């Protein structure tokens, strides 16, 4: 499969050690997490339905599925059960056909050569795999269902029909659950009736009587029983019909569930765990694999993509399933290959300012992006900095986020009320998650007038000093009042635009590298500095129908040329200055944003690798374990996140490395766990020195380069280009014939 699904945890066996000097060591503890996506349905070469998912002792997850044959005749042309398996929820193997109707001894030829190999199940007991399937024995087929049993010593081949379960009602959808004590239970149902009972040790006779499962609400079919934390769960498909709906719910069958402390009930109804798919039917199974629970089901999306658009040409799908602390099931988010987004905004200016005055309000904004089972979110806010491991963990869990990024603008005139900020940030994640829309993405860069300068300025002795250090001879003046364009800088703005499916922009990420610290001179003023002005300009340009999320770049050594007013030190001069700076940045961001359009040929995906390194302080023994992510969206937009205050060289290097292969973005000041590392200089800046380079809260040289090397490596891992074995070494002629290859290739 060219796309990957779900989370894979990769560990390297040994920590790497990089010597910076005899005295300074940076230890790299690598623990990357990869989230990628393959897209639903996960079987695309044939039509499949009614997935029964099981995990066997070989460590693989197997799916036993029915087969819809095209062109369909309703549901009376289903044959040839197939088995699929995986060991990573990424790559699936089709083990081929294991049984067909012609192999069923009682499956007499029915009218119109109909075949009814409907929803199956499979269990393992005492060295044997038991495969259960329905098939009628004669016409009228609806009154003559039998549940057949086939056995094998292998999980995906060599099944032989040994008979059917006698003396049970003519119902469908067999399901077998084996409890912790080894007792097997058999369930089947249909037409509003669900029955269950104990199986004898031969696994094909009922021990006692079948009993009706009581307490189920609106049962239709598709019984599935599983157990978690001592609780029995019975899930099933209901009778919902869009044509007769009184609840305003689009689609047909929903998936419901009930719980009990006994495998045969009585059951206590709990609710709906899956909304309708685009198919007339649904049939699900629930299983745990490698510590994660999954819901399997089917839809008709593949038939629509193939141009056949038929409810009876279905395809199996899978998505993560989550439980609440009380054991109830959260509603499953059905994923496909569409990008979805949600965004929200809230005012976070604290009520208690402690004698400070507000020049402009502080805001927080959110953006959630999800596709094919990968869901990430960004929180931007007008604060100097804010990290909260507890809030991060809670939001990731509550909103099923693979990663969540805190992105402070780093305004030096912010004010945070920690008693309410968590509530505010939670509210905009919640609002965004409840208002997700089908989205498209585009992005790029645009040159700006040089609005920044490098505040660490080399002096006559070769070392750098800060812009606020004036030479006694007046060579450099305090805070660069003459607005000289010292470098290096990145005189460009990056924009990522999120549109809805009607082409209307809904969110804009503005990525720029500059300290918003001009208004700190006014002390008692609360302001978002030039960032607030830029955000306001962008949002107004789109009739205030977009949220503009400002995300810092490598601003650790970047200051605004508009840092000191040239027309006096009165507050209004400071305000005019930062508003002018924000407007100039906003003008370029808007011009770019309005020129961007999504490419309809893009393959929608989010590929993500989160990594961690330990960065040592430069002059003491403090070590910060930092987390950072390499994000690739649509195989085109390559984002490198970096917590703390990284220097501009890392942004320039990332754009240089990625520029030929992707549209690169460098998200500095972006935290998703671990410690906030403060300043992270590049090696040259560390040698020249200055605040954030060789004094102040600063990390040791080579730490930042190590992070960027890891980003580059992870990008190629995500792209599946980083081989884990030797590459090909043969010599070939123009016609493709091999004329030499090394001995090791034999």
């Amino acid at each position: 499969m060219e796309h990957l699904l779900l989370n894979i945890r990769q560990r390297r066996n040994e920590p790497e050690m990089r010597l910076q000097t005899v005295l300074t060591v940076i230890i790299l503890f690598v623990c990357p997490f990869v989230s990628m996506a393959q897209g639903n349905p996960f079987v695309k070469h044939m039509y499949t339905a009614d997935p029964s998912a099981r995990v066997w002792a070989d460590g693989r997850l197997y799916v036993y599925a029915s087969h819809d044959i095209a062109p369909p005749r309703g549901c009376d042309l289903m044959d040839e059960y197939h088995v699929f398996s995986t060991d990573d929820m990424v790559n699936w193997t089709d083990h081929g056909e294991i049984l067909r109707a012609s192999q069923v001894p009682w499956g007499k030829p029915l009218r119109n050569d109909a075949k009814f190999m409907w929803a199956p199940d499979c269990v393992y007991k005492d060295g044997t795999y038991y495969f259960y399937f329905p098939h009628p024995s004669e016409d009228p087929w609806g009154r003559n269902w039998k549940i057949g049993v086939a056995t094998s010593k292998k999980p995906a081949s060599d099944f032989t029909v040994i008979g059917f379960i006698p003396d049970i009602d003519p119902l469908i959808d067999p399901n077998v659950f084996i409890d912790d004590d080894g007792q097997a239970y058999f369930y089947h149902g249909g037409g509003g009736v669900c029955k269950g009972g104990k199986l004898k040790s031969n696994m094909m006779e009922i021990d006692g009587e079948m009993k009706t499962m009581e307490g189920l609400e609106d049962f239709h079919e598709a019984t599935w029983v599983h157990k978690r934390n001592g609780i029995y769960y019975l899930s099933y498909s209901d009778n919902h019909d869009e044509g007769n709906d009184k609840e305003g719910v689009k689609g047909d069958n929903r998936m419901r569930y009930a719980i009990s402390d006994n495998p045969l009930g009585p059951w206590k109804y709990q609710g709906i765990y899956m909304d309708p798919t685009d198919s007339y039917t649904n049939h699900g199974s629930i299983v745990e694999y490698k510590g994660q629970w999954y819901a399997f089901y089917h839809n008709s999306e593949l038939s629509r993509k193939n141009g056949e658009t038929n409810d009876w040409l279905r395809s199996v799908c899978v998505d993560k399933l989550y439980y609440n602390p009380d054991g109830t099931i959260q509603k499953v988010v059905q994923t496909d290959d569409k990008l979805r987004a949600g965004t929200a905004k809230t005012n976070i200016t604290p009520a208690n300012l402690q004698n400070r005055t507000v020049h402009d309000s502080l805001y927080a904004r959110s953006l959630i992006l999800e596709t094919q089972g990968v869901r990430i979110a960004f929180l931007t806010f007008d604060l100097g900095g804010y990290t909260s491991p507890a809030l991060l963990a809670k939001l990731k869990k509550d909103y099923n986020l693979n990663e969540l990024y805190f992105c402070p603008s780093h305004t030096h005139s912010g004010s945070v009320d920690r008693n309410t900020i968590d509530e505010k940030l939670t509210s905009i994640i919640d609002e965004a998650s409840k208002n997700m829309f089908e989205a498209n993405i585009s992005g790029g860069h645009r040159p700006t007038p040089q609005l920044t300068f490098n505040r660490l300025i080399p002096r006559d002795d070769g070392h750098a000093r800060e812009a606020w250090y004036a030479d006694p001879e007046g060579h450099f003046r305090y805070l660069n009042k003459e607005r000289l364009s010292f470098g290096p800088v990145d005189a460009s703005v990056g924009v990522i635009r999120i549109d809805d499916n009607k082409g209307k922009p809904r969110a804009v990420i503005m990525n720029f590298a500059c300290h918003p610290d001009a208004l700190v001179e006014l002390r008692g003023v609360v302001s978002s500095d030039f960032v607030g002005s830029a955000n306001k300009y962008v949002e107004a340009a789109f009739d205030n129908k977009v949220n503009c999320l400002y995300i810092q770049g490598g601003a650790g050594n970047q200051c605004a040329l508009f840092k000191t007013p040239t027309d006096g030190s009165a507050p209004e001069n400071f305000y005019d200055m930062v508003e002018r700076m924000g407007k100039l940045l906003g003008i370029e961001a808007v011009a770019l944003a309005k020129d961007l359009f999504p490419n309809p040929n893009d393959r929608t995906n989010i590929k993500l690798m989160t990594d961690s390194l330990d960065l040592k302080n430069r002059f003491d023994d403090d070590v910060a374990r930092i987390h950072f992510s390499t994000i690739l969206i649509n195989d085109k937009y390559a984002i490198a996140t970096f917590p703390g205050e990284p220097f501009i060289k890392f942004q320039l290097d990332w754009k240089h490395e990625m520029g030929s292969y992707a549209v690169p973005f460098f998200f500095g000041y972006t935290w998703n766990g671990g410690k906030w590392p403060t300043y992270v200089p590049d090696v040259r800046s560390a040698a020249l020195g200055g605040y954030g380079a060789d004094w102040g809260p600063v990390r040791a040289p080579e730490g930042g380069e190590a992070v960027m090397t890891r980003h580059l490596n992870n990008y190629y891992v995500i792209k599946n280009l980083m081989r884990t074995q030797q590459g090909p070494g043969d010599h070939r002629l123009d016609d493709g014939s091999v004329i030499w290859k090394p001995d090791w290739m034999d």
Side-chain angles (χ1 to χ4, degrees), residues 151-168:
T151 61
S152 176
K153 295 298 182 181
K154 301 177 182 178
S157 63
D158 300 340
F159 280 90
T160 301
V161 178
I162 62 171
F164 56 83
I165 299 177
D167 303 322
I168 58 175

Side-chain angles (χ1 to χ4, degrees), residues 68-81:
D68 288 343
I69 297 175
R73 297 193 313 229
C75 57
D76 68 347
L77 193 58
M78 295 176 63
D79 203 358
E80 305 161 10
Y81 292 115

Side-chain angles (χ1 to χ4, degrees), residues 339 341 343 367-369 376 378 439-446 493-499 505-512 538 542 546-551 588-590 592-598 631-634 636-641 654 663-667:
L339 178 69
T343 183
L367 175 64
I368 299 176
L369 298 174
I376 62 176
F378 299 92
N440 293 297
I441 188 170
S442 54
H445 296 273
R446 179 183 174 93
V493 61
V495 168
I496 297 175
R497 173 174 149 173
I498 307 297
D499 294 356
R506 301 283 294 276
V508 169
I509 291 177
M510 178 168 43
N511 183 209
F512 188 69
V538 173
F542 289 95
V546 305
N547 289 326
C548 183
L549 293 84
Y550 181 95
I551 298 182
E588 304 302 333
V590 168
L592 173 57
K594 290 192 173 182
D595 276 345
L596 292 173
F597 292 95
I631 307 167
L632 187 62
I633 302 177
N634 289 6
K636 177 184 290 187
Y637 305 104
I639 301 170
T641 76
W654 179 248
V663 183
F665 296 90
F666 184 83
F667 287 3

